[in-house]
Amino acid sequence: MNALLDGLSWLLDGENWSGPAGVGTRLVEHLWITSLSMVIACAAALPVALWLGHVGRGGALAINISNIGRAVPTFAILAILYMTPLGLSIWTTVIALVLFAIPPILTNAYVGMREVDRDAVEAARGMGMSGGQLLRAVELPLAIPLIMGGIRLATVQVVATATLAAVISGPGLGRIITSGFGRRDVPEIVAGAIIVGLLALVVEGLMAWLQRAVDPMRRAGRRTSRRDRDHELPLVREEVVGGA
Amino acid sequence: MALFGPAHDATLTDNCLTRNDWVCGEYVRTRSDEILDALGQHVTITVVSLAIGFAVALVLAVVARQVSWLRGVILGTSTALYTLPSLAMFALLLPFTGISATTVVVGLVLYSLTILVRGILTGLDAVPAEVRESAVGMGYDGFRLLRKVELPLALPAVFAALRVATVSTVALTTIGMIVNHGGLGNLIARGQRSNFHAEVLTASALCVVLALVADLALLALQRWLMPWRRAVNA
């Protein structure tokens, strides 16, 4: 327990928060690389997944890509990218994070599009909707819970994985932990772990809230029963759980 | 390249090691002891973590089914643990377990719990009530019901979870290099620090191969444990 208290008092010391290697700088770095990576990953994965889901092709690809992604250690990707001409630039970290964010976004969005009630799709077609209208007005709104589930999973994973950038001297909060290891300073190591853990939990909480907030069915109050939905979600999410 | 190379090029010991190639058979030949040591450590840590993780998850899943209010607590706690970044997990364990393989094993066990507890619970929940009732009617109860009826029927879900947990544990073991017990992760870390391309790529590739081999082994085990399924598929 002493170690935890030492870590907390390290965190409460204002001096550790300022300066170029302070908690403040590292936190900003961490949030910057994670949001940049998520924007790029969403921009790359969502259009592809929505299109594949709409036309109903490439299912095996969308599912397998996340299974393969799980077998590749993040640390290995970071180390390999570091040895390319990219070196220590932030792109080394960002590319690694994008690679790890794409599978859950892609898989969940694809599954979400495919699981849209076929009767609703047929009805919309019968009403004369074009492919684009169908995608925008019917499939997308109904797929939102799963699409957001994938984005939530990816965000949490990216926030956690960004910590590893520190192992190759990259930016972010992980640097507090690795610098603690370098100086054999246990309070600093524990303090870094506490703040990284807190950030991950806060982001998970925020994303869970956002996932609910943007669900058009929930907002419209048209959902049949809360139990039905909540029961469905974990089964699909289970498939795409990934570690960092 | 050869046209512009120095004239005495041929007299140097020119091999993929001196050229620092990414793919290098010479590296594997000369450092095979080191690679096998790292691989052995990697496999040991993974297997020990998964074995402990599975045993603990089984107990937690059974408890969660018996005591309904504990179900939410167990699922919630294991999910929160999964959210914790691996570097932070190992760092938080450090004051208690020190720079040892125990730190890595405890961390990996905690991670595997999320996937395994959920998988086992999903499998047990899916056992049809009629099946359970008829087994009870036949005099099965308690541990025997679990072992003879419920667990065998839950096997597909349990194996699905076990395969996911295994593949992620193999990958996560590399982070153990932060306390010097990362198996192949140690080689990746050292290679990265000394800019040794072949060491990093070989160790990384071995990690992926190890994960795939472990996955296939579990698939084979599943087919062997569920001969009735094999008959249906054939």
Side-chain angles (χ1 to χ4, degrees):
Chain A
M1 270 342 258
N2 259 345
L4 282 183
L5 291 178
D6 289 347
L8 277 177
S9 60
W10 189 97
L11 268 185
L12 291 175
D13 186 347
E15 224 164 79
N16 292 325
W17 279 76
S18 54
V23 180
T25 317
R26 296 299 184 207
L27 185 64
V28 171
E29 281 174 358
H30 205 97
L31 294 175
W32 163 238
I33 50 169
T34 44
S35 18
L36 181 63
S37 308
M38 279 309 296
V39 168
I40 297 176
C42 284
L46 283 180
V48 177
L50 295 184
W51 177 249
L52 287 178
H54 176 69
V55 297
R57 292 225 187 93
L61 177 79
I63 305 288
N64 282 332
I65 209 169
S66 86
N67 289 334
I68 295 166
R70 198 162 32 220
V72 183
T74 322
F75 173 45
I77 295 289
L78 278 167
I80 290 171
L81 286 174
Y82 175 85
M83 298 172 109
T84 64
L86 285 169
L88 237 179
S89 81
I90 70 157
W91 295 106
T92 308
T93 311
V94 170
I95 291 173
L97 295 183
V98 168
L99 287 178
F100 279 87
I102 284 178
I105 300 176
L106 190 73
T107 309
N108 267 26
Y110 177 82
V111 173
M113 291 292 284
R114 292 314 300 159
E115 293 212 332
V116 168
D117 189 357
R118 286 297 108 190
D119 292 343
V121 173
E122 287 312 312
R125 269 223 183 88
M127 284 165 63
M129 275 196 182
S130 68
Q133 282 175 319
L134 182 70
L135 198 154
R136 243 191 346 268
V138 181
E139 292 176 314
L140 192 57
L142 289 171
I144 282 286
L146 272 179
I147 296 175
M148 281 309 295
I151 295 177
R152 168 182 168 189
L153 205 65
T155 311
V156 175
Q157 198 173 310
V158 160
V159 168
T161 310
T163 317
L164 282 182
V167 176
I168 56 153
S169 307
L173 285 169
R175 281 295 280 278
I176 301 169
I177 301 178
T178 52
S179 114
F181 268 102
R183 284 188 264 155
R184 300 180 183 280
D185 181 348
V186 175
E188 189 180 5
I189 297 175
V190 174
I194 293 173
I195 188 148
V196 165
L198 280 180
L199 180 69
L201 291 174
V202 167
V203 169
E204 161 73 12
L206 277 178
M207 290 306 291
W209 171 81
L210 188 68
Q211 188 182 3
R212 272 159 208 268
V214 300
D215 181 350
M217 292 302 114
R218 186 180 288 262
R219 275 195 315 221
R222 264 186 287 144
R223 33 186 311 150
T224 43
S225 108
R226 171 182 252 213
R227 277 184 71 95
D228 283 355
R229 271 276 180 86
D230 288 348
H231 192 68
E232 253 173 68
L233 270 177
L235 285 179
V236 181
R237 283 189 52 208
E238 202 67 51
E239 292 289 313
V240 288
V241 160
Chain B
M1 279 307 281
L3 278 177
F4 304 98
H8 59 272
D9 203 42
T11 61
L12 285 174
T13 41
D14 177 53
N15 61 31
C16 55
L17 279 177
T18 51
R19 283 193 308 263
N20 200 10
D21 284 347
W22 287 95
V23 179
C24 179
E26 193 67 18
Y27 163 71
V28 180
R29 255 195 305 284
T30 52
R31 310 282 184 91
S32 60
D33 291 352
E34 232 173 65
I35 300 172
L36 284 176
D37 277 353
L39 187 66
Q41 189 187 56
H42 207 109
V43 172
T44 312
I45 288 177
T46 308
V47 170
V48 171
S49 309
L50 283 168
I52 300 175
F54 187 73
V56 177
L58 196 57
V59 173
L60 286 178
V62 170
V63 169
R65 283 182 79 232
Q66 300 294 323
V67 193
S68 56
W69 63 271
L70 269 178
R71 192 187 170 101
V73 176
I74 288 172
L75 284 177
T77 313
S78 58
T79 308
L81 281 173
Y82 202 78
T83 310
L84 204 61
S86 49
L87 199 60
M89 176 82 93
F90 293 146
L92 279 176
L93 291 168
L94 187 75
F96 307 100
T97 47
I99 304 228
S100 67
T102 316
T103 307
V104 186
V105 170
V106 174
L108 293 176
V109 165
L110 291 175
Y111 277 125
S112 69
L113 287 182
T114 313
I115 306 167
L116 292 175
V117 172
R118 267 178 204 278
I120 299 171
L121 270 177
T122 310
L124 291 179
D125 285 347
V127 175
E130 308 92 82
V131 173
R132 200 175 287 128
E133 275 158 31
S134 34
V136 171
M138 285 167 68
Y140 283 71
D141 64 344
F143 186 64
R144 202 156 143 249
L145 177 69
L146 182 72
R147 203 173 65 86
K148 289 278 192 191
V149 179
E150 293 180 306
L151 272 182
L153 287 175
L155 274 183
V158 172
F159 262 95
L162 200 54
R163 289 175 60 193
V164 174
T166 304
V167 171
S168 4
T169 305
V170 171
L172 271 171
T173 302
T174 54
I175 314 301
M177 58 84 212
I178 195 79
V179 289
N180 247 322
H181 290 273
L184 295 164
N186 287 357
L187 297 186
I188 300 177
R190 199 180 57 188
Q192 183 254 323
R193 277 195 295 266
S194 56
N195 197 36
F196 189 173
H197 291 167
E199 191 171 36
V200 170
L201 191 68
T202 310
S204 306
L206 274 176
C207 279
V208 177
V209 171
L210 185 61
L212 296 180
V213 168
D215 196 41
L216 285 178
L218 281 173
L219 202 61
L221 180 67
Q222 182 182 10
R223 290 179 67 115
W224 181 72
L225 279 176
M226 297 194 297
W228 62 92
R229 273 245 160 165
R230 195 167 46 207
V232 173
N233 288 342

PDB file of all heavy atoms in Angstrom, chain B residues 212-234:
ATOM      1  N   LEU B 212      -0.353 -18.177 -33.713  1.00  0.00           N
ATOM      2  CA  LEU B 212      -1.134 -18.971 -34.664  1.00  0.00           C
ATOM      3  C   LEU B 212      -1.045 -20.460 -34.329  1.00  0.00           C
ATOM      4  O   LEU B 212      -2.045 -21.178 -34.383  1.00  0.00           O
ATOM      5  CB  LEU B 212      -0.645 -18.718 -36.093  1.00  0.00           C
ATOM      6  CG  LEU B 212      -0.837 -17.287 -36.592  1.00  0.00           C
ATOM      7  CD1 LEU B 212      -0.316 -17.117 -38.012  1.00  0.00           C
ATOM      8  CD2 LEU B 212      -2.315 -16.894 -36.529  1.00  0.00           C
ATOM      9  N   VAL B 213       0.150 -20.925 -33.960  1.00  0.00           N
ATOM     10  CA  VAL B 213       0.323 -22.338 -33.602  1.00  0.00           C
ATOM     11  C   VAL B 213      -0.522 -22.675 -32.376  1.00  0.00           C
ATOM     12  O   VAL B 213      -1.217 -23.697 -32.333  1.00  0.00           O
ATOM     13  CB  VAL B 213       1.813 -22.662 -33.349  1.00  0.00           C
ATOM     14  CG1 VAL B 213       1.983 -24.027 -32.701  1.00  0.00           C
ATOM     15  CG2 VAL B 213       2.589 -22.597 -34.659  1.00  0.00           C
ATOM     16  N   ALA B 214      -0.502 -21.779 -31.363  1.00  0.00           N
ATOM     17  CA  ALA B 214      -1.288 -22.014 -30.152  1.00  0.00           C
ATOM     18  C   ALA B 214      -2.773 -22.062 -30.485  1.00  0.00           C
ATOM     19  O   ALA B 214      -3.519 -22.901 -29.966  1.00  0.00           O
ATOM     20  CB  ALA B 214      -1.015 -20.909 -29.132  1.00  0.00           C
ATOM     21  N   ASP B 215      -3.197 -21.186 -31.400  1.00  0.00           N
ATOM     22  CA  ASP B 215      -4.600 -21.144 -31.799  1.00  0.00           C
ATOM     23  C   ASP B 215      -4.997 -22.462 -32.473  1.00  0.00           C
ATOM     24  O   ASP B 215      -6.041 -23.042 -32.166  1.00  0.00           O
ATOM     25  CB  ASP B 215      -4.809 -19.955 -32.744  1.00  0.00           C
ATOM     26  CG  ASP B 215      -6.276 -19.604 -32.898  1.00  0.00           C
ATOM     27  OD1 ASP B 215      -6.988 -19.633 -31.884  1.00  0.00           O
ATOM     28  OD2 ASP B 215      -6.700 -19.322 -34.028  1.00  0.00           O
ATOM     29  N   LEU B 216      -4.133 -22.937 -33.381  1.00  0.00           N
ATOM     30  CA  LEU B 216      -4.415 -24.197 -34.075  1.00  0.00           C
ATOM     31  C   LEU B 216      -4.430 -25.365 -33.097  1.00  0.00           C
ATOM     32  O   LEU B 216      -5.266 -26.265 -33.200  1.00  0.00           O
ATOM     33  CB  LEU B 216      -3.372 -24.445 -35.166  1.00  0.00           C
ATOM     34  CG  LEU B 216      -3.523 -23.586 -36.425  1.00  0.00           C
ATOM     35  CD1 LEU B 216      -2.411 -23.868 -37.413  1.00  0.00           C
ATOM     36  CD2 LEU B 216      -4.885 -23.850 -37.063  1.00  0.00           C
ATOM     37  N   ALA B 217      -3.506 -25.342 -32.118  1.00  0.00           N
ATOM     38  CA  ALA B 217      -3.455 -26.419 -31.130  1.00  0.00           C
ATOM     39  C   ALA B 217      -4.763 -26.464 -30.337  1.00  0.00           C
ATOM     40  O   ALA B 217      -5.305 -27.543 -30.069  1.00  0.00           O
ATOM     41  CB  ALA B 217      -2.266 -26.216 -30.200  1.00  0.00           C
ATOM     42  N   LEU B 218      -5.283 -25.287 -29.967  1.00  0.00           N
ATOM     43  CA  LEU B 218      -6.539 -25.248 -29.225  1.00  0.00           C
ATOM     44  C   LEU B 218      -7.697 -25.757 -30.073  1.00  0.00           C
ATOM     45  O   LEU B 218      -8.588 -26.457 -29.577  1.00  0.00           O
ATOM     46  CB  LEU B 218      -6.834 -23.827 -28.742  1.00  0.00           C
ATOM     47  CG  LEU B 218      -6.070 -23.403 -27.497  1.00  0.00           C
ATOM     48  CD1 LEU B 218      -6.305 -21.935 -27.207  1.00  0.00           C
ATOM     49  CD2 LEU B 218      -6.506 -24.239 -26.296  1.00  0.00           C
ATOM     50  N   LEU B 219      -7.662 -25.417 -31.361  1.00  0.00           N
ATOM     51  CA  LEU B 219      -8.690 -25.886 -32.277  1.00  0.00           C
ATOM     52  C   LEU B 219      -8.677 -27.412 -32.338  1.00  0.00           C
ATOM     53  O   LEU B 219      -9.721 -28.074 -32.287  1.00  0.00           O
ATOM     54  CB  LEU B 219      -8.433 -25.299 -33.668  1.00  0.00           C
ATOM     55  CG  LEU B 219      -9.612 -25.223 -34.619  1.00  0.00           C
ATOM     56  CD1 LEU B 219     -10.703 -24.345 -34.023  1.00  0.00           C
ATOM     57  CD2 LEU B 219      -9.156 -24.666 -35.962  1.00  0.00           C
ATOM     58  N   ALA B 220      -7.473 -27.994 -32.414  1.00  0.00           N
ATOM     59  CA  ALA B 220      -7.330 -29.453 -32.456  1.00  0.00           C
ATOM     60  C   ALA B 220      -7.836 -30.064 -31.157  1.00  0.00           C
ATOM     61  O   ALA B 220      -8.549 -31.071 -31.152  1.00  0.00           O
ATOM     62  CB  ALA B 220      -5.875 -29.818 -32.694  1.00  0.00           C
ATOM     63  N   LEU B 221      -7.479 -29.422 -30.030  1.00  0.00           N
ATOM     64  CA  LEU B 221      -7.920 -29.917 -28.723  1.00  0.00           C
ATOM     65  C   LEU B 221      -9.446 -29.895 -28.632  1.00  0.00           C
ATOM     66  O   LEU B 221     -10.071 -30.845 -28.134  1.00  0.00           O
ATOM     67  CB  LEU B 221      -7.311 -29.051 -27.617  1.00  0.00           C
ATOM     68  CG  LEU B 221      -7.664 -29.431 -26.179  1.00  0.00           C
ATOM     69  CD1 LEU B 221      -7.064 -30.773 -25.812  1.00  0.00           C
ATOM     70  CD2 LEU B 221      -7.192 -28.361 -25.202  1.00  0.00           C
ATOM     71  N   GLN B 222     -10.032 -28.827 -29.141  1.00  0.00           N
ATOM     72  CA  GLN B 222     -11.488 -28.694 -29.108  1.00  0.00           C
ATOM     73  C   GLN B 222     -12.155 -29.830 -29.896  1.00  0.00           C
ATOM     74  O   GLN B 222     -13.108 -30.445 -29.429  1.00  0.00           O
ATOM     75  CB  GLN B 222     -11.892 -27.345 -29.696  1.00  0.00           C
ATOM     76  CG  GLN B 222     -13.388 -27.110 -29.655  1.00  0.00           C
ATOM     77  CD  GLN B 222     -13.780 -25.782 -30.279  1.00  0.00           C
ATOM     78  OE1 GLN B 222     -12.966 -25.113 -30.900  1.00  0.00           O
ATOM     79  NE2 GLN B 222     -15.023 -25.396 -30.106  1.00  0.00           N
ATOM     80  N   ARG B 223     -11.614 -30.124 -31.069  1.00  0.00           N
ATOM     81  CA  ARG B 223     -12.195 -31.196 -31.892  1.00  0.00           C
ATOM     82  C   ARG B 223     -12.047 -32.547 -31.211  1.00  0.00           C
ATOM     83  O   ARG B 223     -12.916 -33.402 -31.307  1.00  0.00           O
ATOM     84  CB  ARG B 223     -11.525 -31.215 -33.263  1.00  0.00           C
ATOM     85  CG  ARG B 223     -11.901 -30.019 -34.096  1.00  0.00           C
ATOM     86  CD  ARG B 223     -11.209 -30.072 -35.421  1.00  0.00           C
ATOM     87  NE  ARG B 223     -11.696 -31.173 -36.218  1.00  0.00           N
ATOM     88  CZ  ARG B 223     -12.366 -31.035 -37.361  1.00  0.00           C
ATOM     89  NH1 ARG B 223     -12.587 -29.849 -37.820  1.00  0.00           N
ATOM     90  NH2 ARG B 223     -12.780 -32.076 -38.032  1.00  0.00           N
ATOM     91  N   TRP B 224     -10.909 -32.697 -30.504  1.00  0.00           N
ATOM     92  CA  TRP B 224     -10.663 -33.965 -29.828  1.00  0.00           C
ATOM     93  C   TRP B 224     -11.596 -34.119 -28.629  1.00  0.00           C
ATOM     94  O   TRP B 224     -12.079 -35.206 -28.315  1.00  0.00           O
ATOM     95  CB  TRP B 224      -9.197 -34.012 -29.387  1.00  0.00           C
ATOM     96  CG  TRP B 224      -8.828 -35.272 -28.694  1.00  0.00           C
ATOM     97  CD1 TRP B 224      -8.680 -36.512 -29.249  1.00  0.00           C
ATOM     98  CD2 TRP B 224      -8.550 -35.421 -27.297  1.00  0.00           C
ATOM     99  NE1 TRP B 224      -8.336 -37.417 -28.297  1.00  0.00           N
ATOM    100  CE2 TRP B 224      -8.244 -36.780 -27.086  1.00  0.00           C
ATOM    101  CE3 TRP B 224      -8.518 -34.539 -26.210  1.00  0.00           C
ATOM    102  CZ2 TRP B 224      -7.921 -37.276 -25.825  1.00  0.00           C
ATOM    103  CZ3 TRP B 224      -8.193 -35.027 -24.972  1.00  0.00           C
ATOM    104  CH2 TRP B 224      -7.905 -36.386 -24.785  1.00  0.00           C
ATOM    105  N   LEU B 225     -11.870 -32.991 -27.944  1.00  0.00           N
ATOM    106  CA  LEU B 225     -12.731 -33.031 -26.762  1.00  0.00           C
ATOM    107  C   LEU B 225     -14.203 -33.154 -27.125  1.00  0.00           C
ATOM    108  O   LEU B 225     -15.013 -33.517 -26.293  1.00  0.00           O
ATOM    109  CB  LEU B 225     -12.531 -31.756 -25.930  1.00  0.00           C
ATOM    110  CG  LEU B 225     -11.318 -31.728 -25.005  1.00  0.00           C
ATOM    111  CD1 LEU B 225     -11.218 -30.361 -24.346  1.00  0.00           C
ATOM    112  CD2 LEU B 225     -11.403 -32.811 -23.953  1.00  0.00           C
ATOM    113  N   MET B 226     -14.544 -32.773 -28.361  1.00  0.00           N
ATOM    114  CA  MET B 226     -15.956 -32.792 -28.735  1.00  0.00           C
ATOM    115  C   MET B 226     -16.182 -33.686 -29.944  1.00  0.00           C
ATOM    116  O   MET B 226     -16.503 -33.189 -31.021  1.00  0.00           O
ATOM    117  CB  MET B 226     -16.436 -31.371 -29.024  1.00  0.00           C
ATOM    118  CG  MET B 226     -16.355 -30.497 -27.794  1.00  0.00           C
ATOM    119  SD  MET B 226     -17.259 -28.973 -27.969  1.00  0.00           S
ATOM    120  CE  MET B 226     -16.387 -28.202 -29.280  1.00  0.00           C
ATOM    121  N   PRO B 227     -15.998 -34.991 -29.755  1.00  0.00           N
ATOM    122  CA  PRO B 227     -16.113 -35.906 -30.905  1.00  0.00           C
ATOM    123  C   PRO B 227     -17.494 -35.838 -31.555  1.00  0.00           C
ATOM    124  O   PRO B 227     -17.615 -36.031 -32.759  1.00  0.00           O
ATOM    125  CB  PRO B 227     -15.865 -37.287 -30.299  1.00  0.00           C
ATOM    126  CG  PRO B 227     -15.813 -37.121 -28.838  1.00  0.00           C
ATOM    127  CD  PRO B 227     -15.713 -35.685 -28.508  1.00  0.00           C
ATOM    128  N   TRP B 228     -18.532 -35.504 -30.771  1.00  0.00           N
ATOM    129  CA  TRP B 228     -19.876 -35.446 -31.359  1.00  0.00           C
ATOM    130  C   TRP B 228     -19.966 -34.339 -32.408  1.00  0.00           C
ATOM    131  O   TRP B 228     -20.653 -34.462 -33.398  1.00  0.00           O
ATOM    132  CB  TRP B 228     -20.927 -35.261 -30.263  1.00  0.00           C
ATOM    133  CG  TRP B 228     -20.803 -33.989 -29.473  1.00  0.00           C
ATOM    134  CD1 TRP B 228     -21.421 -32.817 -29.747  1.00  0.00           C
ATOM    135  CD2 TRP B 228     -20.026 -33.773 -28.307  1.00  0.00           C
ATOM    136  NE1 TRP B 228     -21.073 -31.875 -28.817  1.00  0.00           N
ATOM    137  CE2 TRP B 228     -20.221 -32.431 -27.920  1.00  0.00           C
ATOM    138  CE3 TRP B 228     -19.167 -34.574 -27.531  1.00  0.00           C
ATOM    139  CZ2 TRP B 228     -19.597 -31.872 -26.800  1.00  0.00           C
ATOM    140  CZ3 TRP B 228     -18.563 -34.017 -26.423  1.00  0.00           C
ATOM    141  CH2 TRP B 228     -18.788 -32.686 -26.080  1.00  0.00           C
ATOM    142  N   ARG B 229     -19.240 -33.250 -32.192  1.00  0.00           N
ATOM    143  CA  ARG B 229     -19.212 -32.160 -33.153  1.00  0.00           C
ATOM    144  C   ARG B 229     -18.521 -32.595 -34.442  1.00  0.00           C
ATOM    145  O   ARG B 229     -18.928 -32.264 -35.526  1.00  0.00           O
ATOM    146  CB  ARG B 229     -18.411 -30.991 -32.576  1.00  0.00           C
ATOM    147  CG  ARG B 229     -19.256 -30.107 -31.760  1.00  0.00           C
ATOM    148  CD  ARG B 229     -19.301 -28.780 -32.450  1.00  0.00           C
ATOM    149  NE  ARG B 229     -20.446 -28.035 -32.005  1.00  0.00           N
ATOM    150  CZ  ARG B 229     -20.569 -26.736 -32.229  1.00  0.00           C
ATOM    151  NH1 ARG B 229     -19.625 -26.097 -32.851  1.00  0.00           N
ATOM    152  NH2 ARG B 229     -21.630 -26.120 -31.821  1.00  0.00           N
ATOM    153  N   ARG B 230     -17.410 -33.340 -34.242  1.00  0.00           N
ATOM    154  CA  ARG B 230     -16.625 -33.768 -35.389  1.00  0.00           C
ATOM    155  C   ARG B 230     -17.504 -34.624 -36.307  1.00  0.00           C
ATOM    156  O   ARG B 230     -17.481 -34.482 -37.511  1.00  0.00           O
ATOM    157  CB  ARG B 230     -15.419 -34.571 -34.904  1.00  0.00           C
ATOM    158  CG  ARG B 230     -14.359 -34.759 -35.936  1.00  0.00           C
ATOM    159  CD  ARG B 230     -13.087 -35.262 -35.292  1.00  0.00           C
ATOM    160  NE  ARG B 230     -13.345 -36.348 -34.363  1.00  0.00           N
ATOM    161  CZ  ARG B 230     -12.582 -36.625 -33.316  1.00  0.00           C
ATOM    162  NH1 ARG B 230     -11.542 -35.893 -33.042  1.00  0.00           N
ATOM    163  NH2 ARG B 230     -12.868 -37.634 -32.541  1.00  0.00           N
ATOM    164  N   ALA B 231     -18.301 -35.471 -35.680  1.00  0.00           N
ATOM    165  CA  ALA B 231     -19.172 -36.340 -36.453  1.00  0.00           C
ATOM    166  C   ALA B 231     -20.161 -35.517 -37.274  1.00  0.00           C
ATOM    167  O   ALA B 231     -20.419 -35.815 -38.431  1.00  0.00           O
ATOM    168  CB  ALA B 231     -19.924 -37.287 -35.521  1.00  0.00           C
ATOM    169  N   VAL B 232     -20.669 -34.449 -36.675  1.00  0.00           N
ATOM    170  CA  VAL B 232     -21.639 -33.618 -37.381  1.00  0.00           C
ATOM    171  C   VAL B 232     -20.986 -32.905 -38.558  1.00  0.00           C
ATOM    172  O   VAL B 232     -21.525 -32.833 -39.648  1.00  0.00           O
ATOM    173  CB  VAL B 232     -22.268 -32.597 -36.411  1.00  0.00           C
ATOM    174  CG1 VAL B 232     -23.146 -31.620 -37.174  1.00  0.00           C
ATOM    175  CG2 VAL B 232     -23.073 -33.326 -35.352  1.00  0.00           C
ATOM    176  N   ASN B 233     -19.764 -32.374 -38.301  1.00  0.00           N
ATOM    177  CA  ASN B 233     -19.090 -31.608 -39.346  1.00  0.00           C
ATOM    178  C   ASN B 233     -18.663 -32.467 -40.514  1.00  0.00           C
ATOM    179  O   ASN B 233     -18.586 -31.998 -41.643  1.00  0.00           O
ATOM    180  CB  ASN B 233     -17.857 -30.904 -38.767  1.00  0.00           C
ATOM    181  CG  ASN B 233     -18.269 -29.744 -37.872  1.00  0.00           C
ATOM    182  OD1 ASN B 233     -19.405 -29.285 -37.952  1.00  0.00           O
ATOM    183  ND2 ASN B 233     -17.363 -29.290 -37.037  1.00  0.00           N
ATOM    184  N   ALA B 234     -18.340 -33.732 -40.255  1.00  0.00           N
ATOM    185  CA  ALA B 234     -17.758 -34.577 -41.294  1.00  0.00           C
ATOM    186  C   ALA B 234     -18.781 -34.991 -42.358  1.00  0.00           C
ATOM    187  O   ALA B 234     -19.937 -34.735 -42.245  1.00  0.00           O
ATOM    188  CB  ALA B 234     -17.169 -35.834 -40.677  1.00  0.00           C
TER     189      ALA B 234
END
